[in-house]
Amino acid sequence: MLKKALTGAAAAAMAALALLGVEVLIARAGERPPPGPAIPADSPAGPPGAPVDSVVWLGDSTAAGLGASTPAGSLPEQAAAALGRPVRLTVLAHSGDRVADVLNRQVPRVAQAHPTVVFVSVGANDVTHLTSRGGFRRDYARMVSRLPGGARLVLLGVPDMGAPPRLPQPLRAMAGWRGRSLDGDVRHVAFRTARATYVDIAGRTGPRFRNHPTRYFAPDRFHPNDAGYGLWARAVADVVTPSGRDARTP
């Protein structure tokens, strides 16, 4: 009986993985927005004035601006505006990257920008590409440890992956569950790193995306549009004070 039960459980798990793989392929085959707007390296952002920070953004398509209509609608530009201080902005994020890609391809380029603040938005592709939780946790911690020691870090959590209408059920529910798991690892690393601030993107913006998908998603029904990135930018501004430190910390 036990052997039959184990065999049945293994078969069910394999069927679930096969279904997940098929649905991931379906989701990837949907409409894609145009490439994200080009954001010049070492360019001014935020309100006019002398830059008070050198800001670098790392991560995936959400930090690269995929889904935004113009550079001004991208997350890095809107975050600078929401924080209300002029900065020099460099975006190293690349669409499709996972945390291992950020670690190996983006982090080595950070030092040359001499950042005072580094923002990181990565994890969605680790959800959809089934990165193991152990691998994600390990690479995320390594990524943080290899960033320049003098820079403040703002780590955006994994977005609500159960919100994008492009993902069919039950993939959407499974993606939401995996996203919450990986987000817990981002939160854990942030809280163990004295110079890091964690932004709960899923908790602060997920309900709005779920309730008003046509308002906040790009035409591909997966990436945020200008208004969606505006929600993210306000979530960042609500947590990060002008000094760049966690607003919850005395």
Side-chain angles (χ1 to χ4, degrees):
M1 291 292 293
L2 178 59
K3 184 177 180 179
K4 287 184 177 181
L6 291 175
T7 301
M14 291 179 66
L17 286 174
L19 175 63
L20 182 60
V22 170
E23 291 188 335
V24 166
L25 291 175
I26 293 172
R28 291 180 189 167
E31 179 181 356
R32 292 189 62 79
I39 304 172
D42 193 29
S43 62
V52 297
D53 276 309
S54 173
V55 171
V56 171
W57 277 80
L58 307 178
D60 54 28
S61 56
T62 59
L66 196 65
S69 61
T70 65
S74 69
L75 175 59
E77 293 265 12
Q78 291 206 62
L83 287 168
R85 63 182 187 267
V87 301
R88 300 296 298 181
L89 176 64
T90 297
V91 177
L92 301 179
H94 185 268
S95 180
D97 276 6
R98 291 177 263 177
V99 68
D101 301 313
V102 176
L103 169 64
N104 295 317
R105 301 175 189 171
Q106 298 180 27
V107 169
R109 302 167 58 197
V110 172
Q112 64 191 29
H114 305 289
T116 55
V117 185
V118 177
F119 290 82
V120 181
S121 178
V122 70
N125 294 310
D126 292 278
V127 171
T128 58
H129 287 73
L130 304 181
T131 302
S132 71
R133 186 171 181 185
F136 179 85
R137 185 189 305 119
R138 180 184 63 251
D139 286 341
Y140 203 99
R142 287 176 178 172
M143 174 192 69
V144 168
S145 70
R146 295 179 187 178
L147 289 170
R152 299 189 298 269
L153 308 180
V154 181
L155 308 180
L156 279 64
V158 178
D160 181 5
M161 297 301 293
R166 178 168 165 177
L167 302 180
Q169 295 290 11
L171 174 61
R172 196 186 313 166
M174 296 174 69
W177 175 80
R178 278 187 50 80
R180 288 188 294 273
S181 296
L182 299 189
D183 182 66
D185 294 319
V186 176
R187 185 193 302 260
H188 179 75
V189 172
F191 286 177
R192 287 174 59 90
T193 307
R195 61 194 176 109
T197 295
Y198 165 80
V199 182
D200 183 6
I201 290 295
R204 289 174 173 268
T205 72
R208 300 280 290 276
F209 278 90
R210 288 183 182 234
N211 293 333
H212 306 285
T214 58
R215 183 182 303 175
Y216 296 117
F217 280 106
D220 70 344
R221 303 187 302 146
F222 187 81
H223 293 90
N225 58 16
D226 292 10
Y229 285 129
L231 291 180
W232 285 34
R234 287 192 290 276
V236 170
D238 286 345
V239 173
V240 181
T241 67
S243 66
R245 299 197 180 278
D246 193 328
R248 296 166 297 174
T249 302

